[in-house]
Coordinates of all heavy atoms in Angstrom, one line a residue:
M13 N 0.8 -1.2 0.0 CA 0.0 0.0 0.0 C 0.9 1.3 0.0 O 0.7 2.1 -0.8 CB -0.9 0.0 1.2 CG -2.3 -0.5 1.0 SD -3.2 0.1 -0.5 CE -4.9 0.1 0.0
G14 N 1.7 1.3 1.0 CA 2.7 2.5 1.1 C 3.5 2.6 -0.2 O 3.7 3.8 -0.6
E15 N 3.8 1.5 -0.7 CA 4.7 1.5 -2.0 C 3.9 2.1 -3.1 O 4.4 2.9 -3.9 CB 5.2 0.1 -2.2 CG 6.6 0.2 -2.8 CD 7.2 -1.2 -2.9 OE1 7.6 -1.8 -1.9 OE2 7.1 -1.8 -4.0
D16 N 2.6 1.7 -3.2 CA 1.7 2.2 -4.3 C 1.6 3.7 -4.2 O 1.6 4.4 -5.2 CB 0.3 1.5 -4.2 CG 0.4 0.1 -4.7 OD1 1.4 -0.3 -5.3 OD2 -0.6 -0.6 -4.5
L17 N 1.4 4.1 -2.9 CA 1.2 5.6 -2.7 C 2.5 6.3 -3.2 O 2.4 7.4 -3.9 CB 1.0 5.9 -1.2 CG 0.6 7.3 -0.9 CD1 -0.7 7.7 -1.6 CD2 0.5 7.5 0.6
E18 N 3.6 5.8 -2.8 CA 4.9 6.3 -3.2 C 5.0 6.5 -4.7 O 5.3 7.5 -5.3 CB 6.1 5.5 -2.8 CG 6.4 5.6 -1.3 CD 7.2 6.9 -1.0 OE1 8.4 6.9 -1.5 OE2 6.7 7.8 -0.4
R19 N 4.5 5.4 -5.4 CA 4.6 5.3 -6.8 C 3.7 6.4 -7.4 O 4.0 7.0 -8.4 CB 4.3 3.9 -7.4 CG 5.3 3.4 -8.4 CD 5.1 2.0 -8.7 NE 5.6 1.1 -7.7 CZ 5.1 -0.1 -7.5 NH1 4.1 -0.6 -8.2 NH2 5.7 -0.9 -6.6
L20 N 2.5 6.5 -6.8 CA 1.5 7.4 -7.3 C 2.0 8.9 -7.2 O 1.9 9.7 -8.1 CB 0.2 7.3 -6.5 CG -1.0 8.1 -7.0 CD1 -1.5 7.6 -8.3 CD2 -2.1 8.0 -6.0
L21 N 2.6 9.2 -6.0 CA 3.2 10.5 -5.8 C 4.3 10.8 -6.8 O 4.4 11.9 -7.4 CB 3.7 10.6 -4.4 CG 2.6 10.7 -3.3 CD1 3.3 10.7 -1.9 CD2 1.8 12.0 -3.4
E22 N 5.1 9.8 -7.0 CA 6.2 9.9 -7.9 C 5.7 10.2 -9.3 O 6.2 11.1 -10.0 CB 7.1 8.6 -7.9 CG 8.5 8.9 -8.1 CD 9.3 7.6 -7.8 OE1 9.5 7.4 -6.6 OE2 9.7 7.0 -8.8
A23 N 4.7 9.5 -9.7 CA 4.0 9.6 -11.0 C 3.5 11.0 -11.2 O 3.6 11.6 -12.2 CB 2.9 8.6 -11.3
S24 N 2.8 11.5 -10.1 CA 2.2 12.8 -10.3 C 3.4 13.9 -10.3 O 3.2 14.9 -11.0 CB 1.3 13.1 -9.1 OG 2.0 13.3 -7.9
R25 N 4.4 13.7 -9.6 CA 5.6 14.6 -9.7 C 6.1 14.6 -11.1 O 6.4 15.6 -11.7 CB 6.7 14.1 -8.7 CG 6.7 14.9 -7.4 CD 8.0 14.8 -6.7 NE 8.4 13.5 -6.5 CZ 8.0 12.8 -5.4 NH1 7.2 13.3 -4.5 NH2 8.4 11.5 -5.2
D26 N 6.2 13.4 -11.7 CA 6.7 13.3 -13.0 C 5.8 14.0 -14.1 O 6.3 14.6 -15.0 CB 6.9 11.8 -13.4 CG 8.1 11.1 -12.8 OD1 8.9 11.9 -12.2 OD2 8.2 9.9 -13.0
S27 N 4.5 13.9 -13.8 CA 3.6 14.5 -14.8 C 3.7 16.1 -14.7 O 3.6 16.8 -15.6 CB 2.2 14.0 -14.7 OG 1.6 14.6 -13.5
N28 N 3.9 16.5 -13.4 CA 4.1 18.0 -13.3 C 5.4 18.4 -14.1 O 5.4 19.4 -14.7 CB 4.3 18.3 -11.8 CG 3.0 18.4 -11.1 OD1 2.0 18.4 -11.8 ND2 3.0 18.4 -9.7
A29 N 6.4 17.6 -13.9 CA 7.7 17.9 -14.6 C 7.5 18.0 -16.1 O 8.0 18.8 -16.8 CB 8.8 17.0 -14.2
D30 N 6.6 17.0 -16.6 CA 6.3 17.0 -18.0 C 5.6 18.3 -18.5 O 5.9 18.8 -19.5 CB 5.5 15.7 -18.3 CG 6.4 14.5 -18.4 OD1 7.6 14.6 -18.3 OD2 5.8 13.4 -18.4
D31 N 4.7 18.7 -17.6 CA 4.0 20.0 -18.0 C 5.0 21.1 -18.1 O 4.9 21.9 -19.0 CB 3.0 20.3 -16.9 CG 1.7 19.5 -17.1 OD1 1.6 18.8 -18.1 OD2 0.8 19.6 -16.2
E32 N 5.9 21.2 -17.2 CA 6.8 22.3 -17.2 C 7.8 22.2 -18.4 O 8.3 23.2 -18.9 CB 7.6 22.3 -15.9 CG 7.0 23.1 -14.8 CD 7.7 22.9 -13.4 OE1 9.0 22.7 -13.5 OE2 7.1 23.0 -12.4
H33 N 8.0 21.0 -18.7 CA 9.0 20.8 -19.9 C 8.3 20.5 -21.2 O 9.0 20.1 -22.1 CB 10.1 19.8 -19.5 CG 10.9 20.2 -18.3 ND1 10.8 19.5 -17.1 CD2 11.8 21.2 -18.1 CE1 11.6 20.1 -16.2 NE2 12.2 21.2 -16.8
D34 N 7.0 20.7 -21.2 CA 6.3 20.5 -22.5 C 6.9 21.5 -23.4 O 7.0 22.7 -23.2 CB 4.8 20.8 -22.2 CG 4.1 20.8 -23.6 OD1 4.0 19.8 -24.2 OD2 3.6 21.9 -23.9
P35 N 7.4 21.1 -24.6 CA 8.1 22.0 -25.5 C 7.3 23.2 -25.9 O 7.8 24.3 -25.9 CB 8.3 21.1 -26.8 CG 8.2 19.7 -26.3 CD 7.3 19.7 -25.1
E36 N 6.0 23.0 -26.2 CA 5.2 24.1 -26.6 C 4.9 25.1 -25.5 O 5.0 26.3 -25.6 CB 3.9 23.6 -27.2 CG 3.2 24.7 -28.1 CD 2.0 24.2 -28.8 OE1 1.9 22.9 -28.9 OE2 1.2 25.0 -29.3
G37 N 4.6 24.5 -24.3 CA 4.3 25.2 -23.1 C 5.5 26.1 -22.8 O 5.4 27.3 -22.4
Q38 N 6.7 25.6 -22.9 CA 7.9 26.3 -22.5 C 8.1 27.5 -23.6 O 8.5 28.6 -23.2 CB 9.1 25.3 -22.6 CG 10.3 26.0 -21.9 CD 11.5 24.9 -21.9 OE1 11.7 24.2 -22.8 NE2 12.2 24.9 -20.8
T39 N 7.8 27.2 -24.8 CA 8.0 28.2 -25.8 C 7.0 29.4 -25.6 O 7.4 30.6 -25.7 CB 7.7 27.7 -27.2 OG1 8.6 26.6 -27.5 CG2 7.9 28.7 -28.3
I40 N 5.8 29.0 -25.3 CA 4.8 30.1 -25.0 C 5.2 30.9 -23.8 O 5.2 32.1 -23.8 CB 3.4 29.5 -24.8 CG1 2.9 29.0 -26.1 CG2 2.4 30.5 -24.2 CD1 1.7 28.1 -26.0
A41 N 5.6 30.2 -22.7 CA 6.1 30.9 -21.5 C 7.3 31.8 -21.9 O 7.4 33.0 -21.4 CB 6.5 29.9 -20.4
F42 N 8.2 31.3 -22.7 CA 9.4 32.0 -23.0 C 9.0 33.3 -23.9 O 9.5 34.4 -23.6 CB 10.3 31.1 -23.9 CG 11.5 31.8 -24.4 CD1 12.6 32.2 -23.6 CD2 11.7 32.2 -25.8 CE1 13.7 32.8 -24.0 CE2 12.8 32.8 -26.3 CZ 13.8 33.2 -25.4
E43 N 8.1 33.1 -24.8 CA 7.7 34.2 -25.7 C 7.0 35.2 -24.8 O 7.1 36.4 -25.1 CB 6.8 33.7 -26.8 CG 7.7 33.0 -27.9 CD 6.9 32.8 -29.2 OE1 5.7 33.2 -29.2 OE2 7.5 32.3 -30.1
R44 N 6.1 34.7 -23.9 CA 5.4 35.7 -23.0 C 6.4 36.6 -22.3 O 6.3 37.8 -22.1 CB 4.4 35.0 -22.1 CG 3.5 35.9 -21.4 CD 2.7 35.2 -20.4 NE 1.8 34.2 -21.0 CZ 1.7 32.9 -20.5 NH1 2.3 32.6 -19.4 NH2 0.9 32.1 -21.1
S45 N 7.4 35.9 -21.7 CA 8.4 36.7 -20.9 C 9.2 37.6 -21.8 O 9.6 38.7 -21.4 CB 9.3 35.7 -20.2 OG 10.3 35.1 -21.0
Q46 N 9.5 37.1 -23.1 CA 10.1 38.0 -24.0 C 9.3 39.3 -24.3 O 9.8 40.4 -24.4 CB 10.4 37.3 -25.3 CG 11.5 36.2 -25.2 CD 12.9 36.8 -25.0 OE1 13.4 36.9 -24.0 NE2 13.5 37.2 -26.1
H47 N 8.0 39.0 -24.6 CA 7.1 40.1 -24.9 C 7.0 41.1 -23.7 O 6.9 42.3 -23.8 CB 5.7 39.6 -25.3 CG 5.7 38.9 -26.6 ND1 4.7 38.1 -27.0 CD2 6.6 39.0 -27.6 CE1 5.0 37.6 -28.2 NE2 6.1 38.2 -28.6
Q48 N 6.9 40.5 -22.5 CA 6.8 41.3 -21.3 C 8.1 42.2 -21.1 O 8.0 43.4 -20.8 CB 6.6 40.5 -20.1 CG 5.1 40.0 -19.9 CD 5.0 39.0 -18.8 OE1 5.9 38.4 -18.4 NE2 3.7 38.7 -18.5
A49 N 9.2 41.6 -21.4 CA 10.5 42.3 -21.3 C 10.5 43.4 -22.4 O 10.9 44.6 -22.1 CB 11.7 41.4 -21.5
L50 N 10.0 43.1 -23.6 CA 10.0 44.1 -24.7 C 9.0 45.2 -24.3 O 9.3 46.4 -24.5 CB 9.6 43.4 -25.9 CG 9.8 44.2 -27.2 CD1 11.3 44.5 -27.5 CD2 9.2 43.4 -28.4
A51 N 7.9 44.9 -23.8 CA 6.9 45.9 -23.4 C 7.4 46.8 -22.3 O 7.3 48.0 -22.3 CB 5.6 45.2 -22.9
A52 N 8.1 46.2 -21.3 CA 8.7 47.0 -20.2 C 9.7 47.9 -20.8 O 9.8 49.1 -20.4 CB 9.3 46.0 -19.2
E53 N 10.6 47.4 -21.7 CA 11.6 48.2 -22.3 C 11.0 49.4 -23.1 O 11.5 50.5 -23.0 CB 12.5 47.3 -23.2 CG 13.5 48.0 -24.1 CD 14.7 48.6 -23.3 OE1 14.8 48.3 -22.1 OE2 15.5 49.3 -23.8
T54 N 9.9 49.1 -23.8 CA 9.3 50.1 -24.6 C 8.7 51.2 -23.7 O 8.8 52.4 -24.0 CB 8.2 49.5 -25.5 OG1 8.8 48.5 -26.3 CG2 7.6 50.5 -26.4
R55 N 8.0 50.8 -22.6 CA 7.5 51.7 -21.7 C 8.6 52.6 -21.1 O 8.5 53.8 -21.0 CB 6.7 51.0 -20.6 CG 5.3 50.7 -20.9 CD 4.5 50.4 -19.7 NE 5.0 49.1 -19.0 CZ 4.6 47.9 -19.4 NH1 3.7 47.8 -20.3 NH2 5.1 46.8 -18.8
H56 N 9.7 52.0 -20.8 CA 10.9 52.7 -20.3 C 11.4 53.7 -21.2 O 11.6 54.8 -20.9 CB 11.9 51.6 -19.9 CG 13.2 52.3 -19.3 ND1 13.3 52.8 -18.1 CD2 14.4 52.4 -19.9 CE1 14.5 53.3 -17.9 NE2 15.2 53.0 -19.0
R57 N 11.5 53.3 -22.5 CA 12.0 54.2 -23.5 C 11.0 55.4 -23.7 O 11.4 56.5 -23.9 CB 12.3 53.5 -24.8 CG 13.5 52.6 -24.7 CD 13.9 52.1 -26.0 NE 15.1 51.2 -25.8 CZ 16.3 51.7 -25.8 NH1 16.6 52.9 -26.0 NH2 17.3 50.9 -25.5
L58 N 9.7 55.1 -23.8 CA 8.7 56.1 -23.9 C 8.8 57.1 -22.8 O 8.7 58.3 -23.0 CB 7.3 55.5 -24.0 CG 6.9 55.0 -25.3 CD1 5.5 54.3 -25.2 CD2 6.8 56.1 -26.4
A59 N 9.0 56.6 -21.6 CA 9.1 57.5 -20.4 C 10.4 58.3 -20.5 O 10.4 59.5 -20.2 CB 9.2 56.6 -19.1
E60 N 11.5 57.8 -21.1 CA 12.7 58.5 -21.3 C 12.5 59.7 -22.3 O 12.9 60.8 -22.2 CB 13.8 57.6 -21.8 CG 14.5 56.8 -20.7 CD 15.7 56.1 -21.2 OE1 15.8 55.8 -22.4 OE2 16.6 55.8 -20.4
V61 N 11.7 59.3 -23.4 CA 11.5 60.3 -24.4 C 10.6 61.4 -23.9 O 10.8 62.6 -24.1 CB 10.8 59.6 -25.7 CG1 10.3 60.7 -26.6 CG2 11.8 58.7 -26.4
D62 N 9.6 61.0 -23.1 CA 8.7 62.0 -22.5 C 9.5 62.9 -21.6 O 9.3 64.2 -21.6 CB 7.6 61.3 -21.6 CG 6.4 60.9 -22.4 OD1 6.3 61.3 -23.6 OD2 5.6 60.2 -21.9
A63 N 10.4 62.4 -20.8 CA 11.2 63.2 -19.9 C 12.2 64.1 -20.7 O 12.4 65.2 -20.4 CB 12.1 62.2 -19.0
A64 N 12.7 63.6 -21.8 CA 13.6 64.4 -22.7 C 12.8 65.6 -23.3 O 13.2 66.7 -23.3 CB 14.2 63.5 -23.8
L65 N 11.6 65.3 -23.7 CA 10.7 66.4 -24.3 C 10.4 67.4 -23.2 O 10.3 68.6 -23.5 CB 9.4 65.7 -24.9 CG 9.6 64.9 -26.2 CD1 8.3 64.3 -26.6 CD2 10.0 65.8 -27.3
A66 N 10.2 66.9 -22.0 CA 9.9 67.9 -20.9 C 11.1 68.7 -20.6 O 11.0 69.9 -20.3 CB 9.5 67.1 -19.6
R67 N 12.3 68.2 -20.8 CA 13.6 69.0 -20.6 C 13.7 70.0 -21.8 O 14.2 71.0 -21.6 CB 14.8 68.0 -20.5 CG 14.8 67.2 -19.2 CD 16.1 66.7 -18.9 NE 16.6 65.7 -19.9 CZ 16.3 64.4 -19.9 NH1 15.4 63.9 -19.1 NH2 16.7 63.6 -20.9
V68 N 13.3 69.5 -23.0 CA 13.4 70.4 -24.1 C 12.4 71.6 -23.8 O 12.8 72.8 -24.0 CB 12.9 69.8 -25.4 CG1 12.7 70.8 -26.5 CG2 13.9 68.7 -25.9
A69 N 11.3 71.3 -23.2 CA 10.2 72.3 -23.0 C 10.7 73.3 -21.9 O 10.5 74.5 -22.0 CB 8.9 71.7 -22.5
D70 N 11.4 72.8 -20.9 CA 11.8 73.7 -19.8 C 13.3 74.2 -20.0 O 13.8 75.0 -19.1 CB 11.6 73.1 -18.4 CG 12.7 72.0 -18.1 OD1 13.7 71.9 -18.8 OD2 12.4 71.3 -17.1
G71 N 13.9 73.9 -21.1 CA 15.2 74.4 -21.5 C 16.4 73.7 -20.8 O 17.5 74.2 -21.1
S72 N 16.2 72.6 -20.2 CA 17.3 72.0 -19.5 C 17.9 70.8 -20.4 O 18.8 70.1 -20.0 CB 16.9 71.4 -18.1 OG 15.9 70.4 -18.2
Y73 N 17.2 70.6 -21.6 CA 17.7 69.5 -22.4 C 19.1 69.7 -22.8 O 19.5 70.8 -23.2 CB 16.8 69.4 -23.6 CG 17.2 68.3 -24.5 CD1 16.9 66.9 -24.3 CD2 18.0 68.5 -25.7 CE1 17.3 65.9 -25.1 CE2 18.4 67.5 -26.5 CZ 18.0 66.2 -26.2 OH 18.5 65.1 -27.0
G74 N 19.9 68.6 -22.9 CA 21.3 68.7 -23.3 C 22.2 69.1 -22.2 O 23.4 69.3 -22.5
R75 N 21.7 69.3 -21.0 CA 22.6 69.6 -19.9 C 22.6 68.4 -18.9 O 21.6 67.8 -18.6 CB 22.2 70.9 -19.2 CG 22.6 72.1 -20.0 CD 22.5 73.4 -19.3 NE 23.1 74.5 -20.1 CZ 24.3 74.8 -20.1 NH1 25.2 74.2 -19.3 NH2 24.8 75.8 -20.9
C76 N 23.8 68.1 -18.3 CA 23.9 67.1 -17.4 C 23.1 67.4 -16.1 O 23.1 68.4 -15.5 CB 25.4 66.9 -17.0 SG 25.6 65.6 -15.7
A77 N 22.3 66.4 -15.7 CA 21.4 66.6 -14.6 C 22.2 66.6 -13.2 O 21.8 67.0 -12.2 CB 20.4 65.4 -14.4
V78 N 23.5 66.1 -13.3 CA 24.3 66.1 -12.1 C 25.2 67.3 -12.0 O 25.2 68.0 -11.0 CB 25.2 64.8 -12.1 CG1 26.1 64.8 -10.9 CG2 24.4 63.6 -12.2
C79 N 26.0 67.6 -13.0 CA 26.9 68.8 -13.0 C 26.4 70.0 -13.7 O 27.0 71.1 -13.6 CB 28.3 68.3 -13.4 SG 28.3 67.9 -15.2
G80 N 25.4 69.8 -14.6 CA 24.9 71.0 -15.3 C 25.7 71.4 -16.5 O 25.3 72.3 -17.2
E81 N 26.8 70.7 -16.8 CA 27.5 70.9 -18.0 C 26.8 70.4 -19.2 O 26.0 69.5 -19.1 CB 28.9 70.2 -17.8 CG 29.9 70.8 -16.8 CD 30.2 72.3 -17.0 OE1 30.6 72.6 -18.2 OE2 30.1 73.1 -16.2
P82 N 27.1 71.1 -20.4 CA 26.5 70.6 -21.6 C 26.9 69.1 -21.9 O 28.0 68.8 -21.7 CB 27.0 71.5 -22.7 CG 27.5 72.7 -21.9 CD 27.9 72.3 -20.6
I83 N 26.0 68.3 -22.3 CA 26.2 67.0 -22.7 C 26.8 67.0 -24.1 O 26.3 67.7 -25.0 CB 25.0 66.1 -22.7 CG1 24.4 66.1 -21.2 CG2 25.2 64.7 -23.2 CD1 23.0 65.4 -21.1
A84 N 27.9 66.2 -24.3 CA 28.6 66.2 -25.6 C 27.6 65.9 -26.7 O 26.7 65.0 -26.6 CB 29.7 65.2 -25.6
E85 N 27.8 66.6 -27.9 CA 26.9 66.4 -29.0 C 26.9 64.9 -29.5 O 25.8 64.4 -29.7 CB 27.3 67.3 -30.1 CG 26.2 67.8 -31.0 CD 26.7 68.9 -32.0 OE1 27.0 70.0 -31.5 OE2 26.7 68.6 -33.2
G86 N 28.0 64.3 -29.5 CA 28.1 62.9 -29.9 C 27.3 62.0 -29.0 O 26.6 61.0 -29.5
R87 N 27.3 62.3 -27.7 CA 26.5 61.5 -26.8 C 25.0 61.7 -27.0 O 24.3 60.7 -27.0 CB 26.9 61.9 -25.4 CG 26.0 61.2 -24.3 CD 26.7 61.3 -22.9 NE 25.8 60.9 -21.8 CZ 25.4 59.7 -21.5 NH1 25.9 58.7 -22.3 NH2 24.6 59.4 -20.5
L88 N 24.6 62.9 -27.3 CA 23.2 63.2 -27.5 C 22.8 62.5 -28.8 O 21.6 62.1 -29.0 CB 22.9 64.7 -27.6 CG 22.9 65.3 -26.1 CD1 22.7 66.8 -26.3 CD2 21.8 64.7 -25.3
E89 N 23.7 62.5 -29.8 CA 23.3 61.9 -31.1 C 23.1 60.3 -30.9 O 22.2 59.8 -31.4 CB 24.4 62.1 -32.1 CG 24.2 63.4 -32.9 CD 25.4 63.6 -33.8 OE1 26.2 62.7 -34.2 OE2 25.6 64.9 -34.1
A90 N 24.0 59.8 -30.0 CA 23.9 58.3 -29.8 C 22.7 58.0 -28.8 O 22.0 57.0 -29.0 CB 25.2 57.8 -29.2
R91 N 22.6 58.9 -27.9 CA 21.5 58.7 -26.9 C 20.7 60.0 -26.7 O 21.0 60.7 -25.7 CB 22.1 58.3 -25.5 CG 22.4 56.8 -25.4 CD 22.7 56.5 -24.0 NE 21.6 56.2 -23.1 CZ 20.9 55.1 -23.2 NH1 21.3 54.2 -24.0 NH2 19.9 54.9 -22.4
P92 N 19.8 60.3 -27.6 CA 19.1 61.6 -27.5 C 18.4 61.8 -26.1 O 18.1 63.0 -25.8 CB 18.0 61.4 -28.6 CG 18.5 60.4 -29.5 CD 19.3 59.5 -28.7
T93 N 18.1 60.7 -25.4 CA 17.4 60.9 -24.1 C 18.3 61.0 -22.9 O 17.9 61.0 -21.8 CB 16.4 59.7 -23.9 OG1 17.1 58.5 -23.9 CG2 15.3 59.8 -25.0
A94 N 19.7 61.0 -23.2 CA 20.6 61.1 -22.1 C 20.4 62.3 -21.2 O 20.1 63.3 -21.7 CB 22.1 61.1 -22.7
R95 N 20.4 62.1 -19.9 CA 20.2 63.2 -19.0 C 21.4 63.6 -18.2 O 21.4 64.5 -17.4 CB 19.0 62.9 -18.1 CG 19.2 61.7 -17.1 CD 17.9 61.4 -16.3 NE 17.0 60.6 -17.1 CZ 15.7 60.4 -16.9 NH1 15.2 61.1 -15.9 NH2 15.0 59.6 -17.6
T96 N 22.5 62.9 -18.5 CA 23.8 63.2 -17.8 C 24.9 63.1 -18.8 O 24.8 62.5 -19.9 CB 24.1 62.2 -16.7 OG1 24.3 60.9 -17.3 CG2 23.1 62.1 -15.6
C97 N 26.0 63.8 -18.5 CA 27.2 63.7 -19.4 C 27.8 62.3 -19.2 O 27.4 61.6 -18.3 CB 28.2 64.8 -19.0 SG 28.9 64.6 -17.3
V98 N 28.8 62.0 -20.1 CA 29.4 60.7 -20.0 C 29.9 60.4 -18.6 O 29.8 59.3 -18.0 CB 30.5 60.5 -21.0 CG1 31.2 59.2 -20.9 CG2 30.0 60.7 -22.4
R99 N 30.5 61.4 -18.0 CA 31.2 61.3 -16.7 C 30.1 60.8 -15.6 O 30.5 60.1 -14.7 CB 31.8 62.6 -16.3 CG 33.1 62.5 -15.5 CD 34.0 63.7 -15.8 NE 33.3 65.0 -15.9 CZ 33.2 65.8 -14.8 NH1 33.7 65.5 -13.7 NH2 32.5 67.0 -15.0
H100 N 28.9 61.4 -15.7 CA 27.9 61.1 -14.7 C 26.9 60.1 -15.1 O 25.8 60.0 -14.5 CB 27.3 62.4 -14.3 CG 28.2 63.3 -13.6 ND1 28.6 64.5 -14.1 CD2 29.0 63.1 -12.5 CE1 29.5 65.1 -13.3 NE2 29.7 64.2 -12.3
A101 N 27.1 59.3 -16.3 CA 26.2 58.3 -16.7 C 26.1 57.2 -15.6 O 27.1 56.8 -15.1 CB 26.7 57.7 -18.0
P102 N 24.9 56.8 -15.2 CA 24.7 55.8 -14.2 C 25.6 54.6 -14.4 O 26.1 54.0 -13.5 CB 23.3 55.5 -14.2 CG 22.6 56.7 -14.9 CD 23.6 57.2 -15.9
S103 N 25.6 54.1 -15.6 CA 26.4 52.9 -15.9 C 26.7 52.9 -17.4 O 26.0 53.6 -18.2 CB 25.7 51.6 -15.5 OG 24.6 51.5 -16.3
L104 N 27.6 52.1 -17.9 CA 28.0 52.0 -19.3 C 26.8 51.6 -20.1 O 26.0 50.7 -19.8 CB 29.1 51.0 -19.5 CG 30.5 51.5 -19.2 CD1 31.5 50.4 -19.5 CD2 30.8 52.7 -20.1
G105 N 26.6 52.3 -21.2 CA 25.5 52.0 -22.1 C 24.1 52.3 -21.5 O 23.1 51.9 -22.0
N106 N 24.1 53.2 -20.5 CA 22.8 53.5 -19.8 C 22.8 55.0 -19.5 O 23.8 55.6 -19.4 CB 22.7 52.6 -18.6 CG 21.3 52.3 -18.3 OD1 20.4 52.8 -18.9 ND2 21.1 51.3 -17.4
G107 N 21.6 55.5 -19.4 CA 21.5 56.9 -18.9 C 21.6 57.8 -20.1 O 22.0 58.9 -20.0
Ligands
ZN211 ZN1 27.9 65.6 -15.5

């Protein structure tokens, strides 16, 4: 009896594992997470653009938010929404 129960529990564990590793299920979960990441990134970029437009409106666009020095033209060309100079960028490839 106890052994049967063990086997039953083991079988149900196995079927759970199969669900998780179902190729299609995994692809859908993966794609959903990819889409969520993309949507989050897009919202982030829209917020950056909104913030940049607000800085254009109040005249602070193109100036470092930390030191107030003008942000290099090349940096603004590469990252039009940059709010700090290269020196004060939060991290590489960011800000
Ligand atoms: Zn700065």
Side-chain angles (χ1 to χ4, degrees):
M13 265 311 215
E15 217 172 278
D16 284 350
L17 187 61
E18 283 280 295
R19 227 172 283 153
L20 188 67
L21 287 173
E22 215 167 283
S24 71
R25 260 200 304 276
D26 283 353
S27 73
N28 280 346
D30 283 347
D31 279 353
E32 275 175 27
H33 296 111
D34 175 66
E36 198 172 346
Q38 196 174 38
T39 301
I40 290 167
F42 176 74
E43 286 195 358
R44 189 186 299 134
S45 76
Q46 291 288 97
H47 290 162
Q48 281 169 348
L50 193 63
E53 172 71 11
T54 302
R55 273 195 297 274
H56 178 69
R57 288 190 181 272
L58 278 175
E60 282 188 334
V61 170
D62 274 351
L65 289 174
R67 292 197 298 279
V68 170
D70 74 14
S72 66
Y73 179 79
R75 286 195 172 269
C76 175
V78 177
C79 65
E81 292 296 313
I83 299 171
E85 212 170 291
R87 174 162 166 76
L88 282 176
E89 271 172 26
R91 275 190 87 77
T93 59
R95 63 187 84 199
T96 61
C97 66
V98 176
R99 216 150 41 95
H100 295 117
S103 64
L104 279 179
N106 215 346

